[in-house]
Amino acid sequence: MIRAWTGAQVREAERPLLDAGEGPALMARAAHGLAVSVLRALRARRGRVSGARLVVLAGSGNNGGDALFAAAAVARRGVRTTAVLTSARCHPEALAVFTAAGGLAVQLREENTADLASLCAGADMLVDGILGTGAAGGLRGPAAGLVRAIAEAGVPLVVACDLPSGTSADTGELFEPVLRADLTVTFGGTKAGLLTGPAAGAAGSVETIDIGLGPHLPQPALRRLEPSDLRGLWPVPGRDSHKYTRGVLGIVAGSEQYPGAALLCTQAAAATGVGMVRYLGPRDVCRLVNASTPEAVCSSSDSVADSRVQAWLVGPGTGTDKEQAQRVLDALASGLPVVADASALDELPGELGPQVVLTPHAGELVRILARQDVEVAREQVEASPSEFAALAAGLTGATVLLKGAATVIASPSGTLFSQDNATPWMATAGSGDTLAGILGALAATVDRADLDAAGIEPPDHTAGIAAMAAAVHGLAGTEASAGGPITASDISRALPETIRALLRG
């Protein structure tokens, strides 16, 4: 499991070590780790290190110092290294070591911005060490102009030191201009902002360098499940299992207007491995569901109270169907785990619990927050998804899975997960219905004791299950896509093999 912290949490963990005089040792470890990563990336790009050209953008703080110390180590390996000092102030000891190693330092000014942008564009690699986690907002003055000019001139391989300058270490918000990185080498602990929001797309690959903060770090602000975590948590039947012990999922989805949603979420739930699916909906939709998924037990007349299930999935494609809307409300009032998607998000009662997981996209989250008297624009949600998912979870009392390039899951306790396993090809009609089906199946089948053993404890069980669903949905879609177009049905068809591969390890 990947654990991530806010910038403030990491700085607070550094405090006792800094007070004990260990600041230089922390910087030395960070710089060494950055230098190793830079050399590895240069070797992968060019086949060799000697003769490469490296430019470092060094700001006034410790982040600039880390970058300069690392550049000095790289220069000693035969790399031609230039430091562009973006502030009149810099880390003096680091600059002295850098120049002693043969590095050339150039002060950035308004009048030399174009020349320095050309210098950067002609390098084999650019290291961004302008702003660190303590910076407020984005780049200003000549540094902002330089980053804009670099983007226009053409960007070489970019490595961000701790985080790309202009990104929020906490929420993943971007403050343009941002120099987007191919690799971010972060120190002490992975920053939460690198795993969520637009910053997740601006950070590239993320490597975390251990500088000795472990004993001082608090509980993480955000977590991400890895395939090994899924393998340990995935519900696997035993010798004496039968369809009822493997979980029964009730589905209220589809309508005469939108029958396809019922088919998609039912197919996905069945492919995930739930013991049984009980589908409730219009008679004609029942026929379609049985033709598509003959294993499903379908009824057009049963009520929620008549159906014995372990969890409910409600809302996809129910539209304006009044009978389906009543079933949605009854399921939400049942006290069972409920996945509320699509139309159900407009039928929410006033009080919800953490066993209910809401699955909005950004626009739907805006409407959920509006009903809580919070006015926010879709653009704000997309800029800082973890912030607004957490706000919605706290206000509604439900678990919130906010769909996006990196899916954010927020528990009303404040716990956050972020999963980034999907391919952009999954941005297609019906993909959310397949996610809902996977999530419903897992809500009915995952053993909560396994979640406890993995350190995911009440009231965060539903958030952990939602993270599992988001992860396997992304993995199945990526497998189905193989770099090209897919449909939502392709995701469901890929699920069994994706799950088998996870369990094989």
Side-chain angles (χ1 to χ4, degrees), residues 150-495:
I150 291 170
E152 292 175 3
V155 180
L157 185 69
V158 176
V159 175
C161 178
D162 208 20
L163 76 169
S165 297
T167 62
S168 167
D170 301 347
T171 66
E173 190 172 359
L174 297 184
F175 303 95
E176 297 288 358
V178 171
L179 187 60
R180 284 156 174 77
D182 300 284
L183 169 67
T184 296
V185 182
T186 193
F187 310 126
T190 305
K191 308 306 183 294
L194 297 175
L195 302 184
T196 183
S205 302
V206 177
E207 294 180 7
T208 302
I209 304 300
D210 181 4
I211 60 172
L213 302 187
H216 305 282
L217 287 168
Q219 286 296 310
L222 181 145
R223 290 179 278 184
R224 173 171 291 174
L225 299 181
E226 299 183 277
S228 59
D229 301 306
L230 297 176
R231 186 161 56 251
L233 293 170
W234 204 263
V236 177
R239 177 181 175 86
D240 298 324
S241 297
H242 51 78
K243 61 188 176 185
Y244 298 113
T245 60
R246 291 189 61 200
V248 181
L249 172 65
I251 295 181
V252 178
S255 59
E256 298 289 351
Q257 188 179 10
Y258 303 113
L263 276 62
L264 288 168
C265 62
T266 303
Q267 289 169 347
T272 302
V274 69
M276 179 188 290
V277 173
R278 292 188 184 276
Y279 171 77
L280 306 183
R283 186 181 303 276
D284 288 345
V285 181
C286 283
R287 294 193 185 100
L288 292 172
V289 168
N290 270 148
S292 172
T293 309
E295 302 88 350
V297 177
C298 297
S299 173
S300 61
S301 59
D302 285 355
S303 68
V304 165
D306 295 328
S307 307
R308 296 181 61 185
V309 302
Q310 277 72 57
W312 285 101
L313 161 58
V314 299
T318 55
T320 58
D321 187 306
K322 292 183 179 180
E323 189 172 3
Q324 291 289 72
Q326 185 58 55
R327 287 173 172 144
V328 168
L329 292 175
D330 292 343
L332 287 166
S334 69
L336 292 172
V338 180
V339 178
D341 185 48
S343 297
L345 299 174
D346 295 320
E347 304 286 346
L348 299 175
E351 293 186 10
L352 299 168
Q355 82 283 359
V356 176
V357 53
L358 314 180
T359 60
H361 54 60
E364 290 167 332
L365 190 72
V366 168
R367 298 203 301 271
I368 291 171
L369 288 171
R371 290 195 293 275
Q372 301 292 329
D373 298 321
V374 176
E375 297 298 326
V376 61
R378 180 177 186 138
E379 292 75 15
Q380 291 174 276
V381 173
E382 291 172 338
S384 187
S386 59
E387 175 186 358
F388 290 104
L391 177 61
L395 291 172
T396 64
T399 300
V400 174
L401 181 153
L402 177 57
K403 291 177 274 197
T407 295
V408 176
I409 301 99
S411 169
S413 72
T415 295
L416 288 172
F417 288 86
S418 170
Q419 297 298 142
D420 193 3
N421 308 92
T423 168
W425 289 108
M426 293 174 69
T428 186
S431 181
D433 297 325
T434 63
L435 172 58
I438 296 166
L439 178 49
L442 291 177
T445 58
V446 170
D447 188 334
R448 272 60 176 175
D450 290 337
L451 293 167
D452 290 335
I456 304 171
E457 300 176 345
D460 299 330
H461 282 166
T462 303
I465 292 169
M468 292 175 64
V472 79
H473 179 250
L475 292 169
T478 301
E479 175 66 24
S481 167
I486 55 171
T487 66
S489 295
D490 293 329
I491 301 172
S492 291
R493 283 190 284 269
L495 275 168

